Amino acid sequence: MKRPPFAASALLAPILDLIGYFAAVAVGLSAGRSQISGFVVAVVFGYLPFVRAQIAASGRTWDAALCAHVVVVSLLAFFLRSGVFVWLTSGCGWHAQAAIVLAVVATAAVLRPGYRYCATFSPWRLGSGAGWREVAVAVVVFASALRLIYGAQVELMPEETYYWNYSRHLDIGYLDHPPMVGWLIWLGTAAFGDTEFGVRAGAMSCGAIASLFAYRLTRNLFGESSALVAVVLLQTLPFFFLAGMLMTPDAPLTAAWIAAVYFLERALIAGRANAWWGAGLCLGLGMLSKYTIGLLGLSAFVFMLFDARARQWLRRWQPYAAACLGFAVFLPVIVWNAQHEWASFAFQTSRRLAERPRFALHKLIASVVVLLTPTGVAAAAVVLSGPAPRASGQDEPADRRRAWRFIQLAILVPLAVFAAFSLRHEVKLDWTGAPWIAAVPALAFGIVNSARSLVTGLRSWIRSAWTPTIYSLLVLYGAGLYHLAIGIPGVGYSRHAELVAVGWRELGRQIHGLAGTIAKSAGSDPLIVGMDRYAIASELAFYAPDRSQSVNETSSGHLFGQMGLMYERWFPLAAERGRTLLLVAWSRDELADGGLQSSVERLEPISEGLVMRDGEAIRHYYYRLAYGYRGFTAPPQLPSGALSPH
């Protein structure tokens, strides 16, 4: 049977795309809406007719699964194309007529192979079947492109701008985290400027490094097919997708963690003495990122205690030399702590242990479900709870069983520590994220191995669930990034401003405009004070016309008794006495607190502002001018048993 000329859409559909765009512009639509119109015209009249012809020629019929595939491919192409268009026009300053050409090319690059896959419609299963490798590579490329394109234009999260302030106050240590995140941001902004991409370049690089070591580790343990599956998981599971884009300490920690696991496996399982140097270096770099990687060293020690062959390393010098190397790499943080009364170590240990007891195991479990998805959690539970799986029903060699025990301990030892901690203390969402990267090789092998054997029950459900999980995650990432960068009409944003990377750029423009007006009338620049821990201050410092000046003119609510983390050291209370302050808050009540009056000489009335985006209100904010800052004095504590007057 003669196949229809599917390739004819290579020219027709892009031409229709451009015609649709310029026609929409001609009738008065904005460039953003016009590119949407062009996409719809190209899909409806250019691409889909050839897909229908291809399906009819093959004798297939449309069903729910086929329609779902077409919808997924269409959405992915739209999100990528829109990101390219907005990035070129807003971020790179291209004229819209030039940007639409590249956006059309990006559309064709996704839709042509995507619709061809839909037309042939051979059900894709990760790790098995015809053509699964090509689709796996496409998934990895698409996820990487999505992060690259939107990472350069989505506004920075408050944590990212706070760590950008690290890089503007470059040091060998900080109160709440080691310095690696600040160092990486300094390198990224030195190369690409104080832009969103410059801040996030380090995270994207760390994501690539993590994928490389995950591939090599999994290939060593379980073969080439499992290695490719591991990269797919690392590019799509929620924690690893975000860690490869957002510039937080988790980005370098994750890369150092999987690299350390790789070298430890080479040393403990493959018996290569030189691998200890790599393990020591990576553990040291991890400690410069986040202290929790020390739990991986504990995992390796436990494995050596229980494994007879690995236990021999305890009588050799290489592990101890590796520990010395890691200590030497970590030494700057120790020096900083020694100079600052061990503040960072105390912040991460005794301060957390002194918190009011609170049962949080359920939150820890919920965080794992969010980080790995229900499919990933079920797969991890099945794979890691049993013995080393067997390929094709054959006995596994001893080294594979040993490697399996090593992987189990690498994930279960840190998880056990966090679980024990959560029985009496609060936990954070990202704490178990990096340790789970040690489970990726096991998950990948479980996926490939289940495809080679007959599985039933939960294992069968897990194998079937991976494909819709990956597709759903890609659509979710695309939609979420599109909404943050461009906005979906009729869909609002969270009231919790600290959780949303939207509106900060506009807030910075308005607040610094107010500060400029005040400076003209008062004769000096006011100190802008965000009335929270760090979010408002950090964002306003980054989204300022002159960032080199703003880092010295933007502080936090610690001036009025709140916790300010590093702002307490960057802006000592005594150094700000006599200053005029521009107070900024999300709630009117925060600026109406009677305690403010005792800390300043005079207060102006509270004013209200509004952050807008594309003509729609995002959120209200409040500001107030304060003259003659006196410093903060904590109110006297009531005697034990005394009644509060309020």
Side-chain angles (χ1 to χ4, degrees), residues 321-608:
C324 290
L325 175 60
F327 179 83
V329 174
F330 183 59
L331 188 58
V333 176
I334 299 176
V335 172
W336 186 92
N337 274 273
Q339 295 172 343
H340 295 82
E341 300 177 344
W342 310 103
S344 180
F345 293 156
F347 183 88
Q348 296 292 354
T349 55
S350 59
R351 185 190 69 88
R352 296 192 185 280
L353 293 174
E355 293 174 349
R356 181 172 61 87
R358 181 180 302 176
F359 180 79
L361 180 60
H362 59 295
K363 293 185 178 181
L364 183 71
I365 296 172
S367 71
V368 174
V369 175
V370 172
L371 298 176
L372 295 184
T373 73
T375 304
V377 171
V382 169
V383 171
L384 295 176
S385 62
R390 298 177 178 179
S392 304
Q394 301 298 319
D395 291 338
E396 294 300 314
D399 279 350
R400 178 168 287 179
R401 292 196 297 271
R402 295 180 63 239
W404 194 260
R405 286 195 295 270
F406 170 70
I407 291 296
Q408 285 178 313
L409 288 174
I411 177 63
L412 293 178
V413 169
L415 191 62
V417 172
F418 288 126
F421 184 84
S422 70
L423 296 178
R424 289 181 58 81
H425 299 88
E426 191 63 77
V427 296
K428 292 187 177 182
L429 175 66
D430 62 336
W431 278 7
T432 64
W436 277 113
I437 199 170
V440 168
L443 294 178
F445 181 68
I447 292 171
V448 173
N449 195 48
S450 67
R452 297 171 179 168
S453 57
L454 183 63
V455 294
T456 58
L458 180 59
R459 293 179 182 270
S460 177
W461 176 87
I462 293 171
R463 184 180 66 179
S464 301
W466 273 118
T467 297
T469 296
I470 290 172
Y471 287 163
S472 299
L473 287 172
L474 291 178
V475 172
L476 181 63
Y477 299 149
L481 292 173
Y482 177 89
H483 188 44
L484 292 175
I486 302 169
I488 300 175
V491 179
Y493 299 97
S494 171
R495 294 182 179 179
H496 298 284
E498 70 278 4
L499 301 178
V500 181
V502 173
W504 295 108
R505 189 179 291 119
E506 174 61 18
L507 179 66
R509 186 190 66 80
Q510 294 187 26
I511 293 300
H512 287 285
L514 287 170
T517 302
I518 295 168
K520 290 180 181 179
S521 61
S524 62
D525 292 322
L527 178 66
I528 300 173
V529 179
M531 298 297 285
D532 61 5
R533 180 178 295 190
Y534 62 80
I536 297 176
S538 300
E539 293 279 4
L540 291 179
F542 184 83
Y543 289 109
D546 185 354
R547 296 189 175 106
S548 62
Q549 179 181 352
S550 64
V551 294
N552 299 316
E553 296 295 336
T554 312
S555 188
S556 78
H558 78 281
L559 296 177
F560 296 95
Q562 301 183 36
M563 177 182 286
L565 301 178
M566 282 304 299
Y567 280 102
E568 298 175 19
R569 299 174 183 269
W570 295 332
F571 294 87
L573 272 60
E576 309 308 327
R577 292 184 184 276
R579 294 287 303 271
T580 297
L581 311 180
L582 176 57
L583 312 180
V584 184
W586 295 119
S587 168
R588 179 183 292 272
D589 293 340
E590 292 177 283
L591 299 183
D593 185 359
L596 296 179
Q597 184 64 64
S598 62
S599 299
V600 298
E601 295 178 0
R602 181 164 60 89
L603 284 169
E604 293 287 343
I606 299 174
S607 299
E608 182 177 352

Side-chain angles (χ1 to χ4, degrees), residues 7 70 72 78 101 224 229 256 265 303 392 407 416 477 495 526 531 566 584 615 620 639:
V70 170
V72 167
F78 173 72
V101 175
E224 195 76 31
V229 172
E265 184 276 330
F303 178 76
S392 304
I407 291 296
Y477 299 149
R495 294 182 179 179
M531 298 297 285
M566 282 304 299
V584 184
H620 294 264

Side-chain angles (χ1 to χ4, degrees), residues 305-328:
L305 291 180
F306 284 93
D307 185 86
R309 288 176 57 184
R311 196 157 51 243
Q312 298 176 9
W313 286 108
L314 295 175
R315 298 191 295 271
R316 300 179 63 178
W317 63 270
Q318 287 90 346
Y320 305 101
C324 290
L325 175 60
F327 179 83

Side-chain angles (χ1 to χ4, degrees), residues 144-163:
S144 302
L146 207 61
R147 283 198 298 263
L148 179 65
I149 292 169
Y150 280 102
Q153 54 186 309
V154 171
E155 295 178 22
L156 297 179
M157 296 288 291
E159 290 85 353
E160 294 178 285
T161 52
Y162 175 59
Y163 299 131

Side-chain angles (χ1 to χ4, degrees), residues 69-120:
H69 279 77
V70 170
V71 170
V72 167
V73 170
S74 302
L75 287 174
L76 295 181
F78 173 72
F79 294 139
L80 186 67
R81 161 220 183 85
S82 298
V84 169
F85 183 78
V86 175
W87 180 30
L88 293 176
T89 54
S90 300
C92 301
W94 283 32
H95 194 281
Q97 294 180 356
I100 190 60
V101 175
L102 204 57
V104 168
V105 172
T107 303
V110 176
L111 285 185
R112 287 195 63 213
Y115 282 156
R116 184 179 292 111
Y117 159 66
C118 294
T120 56

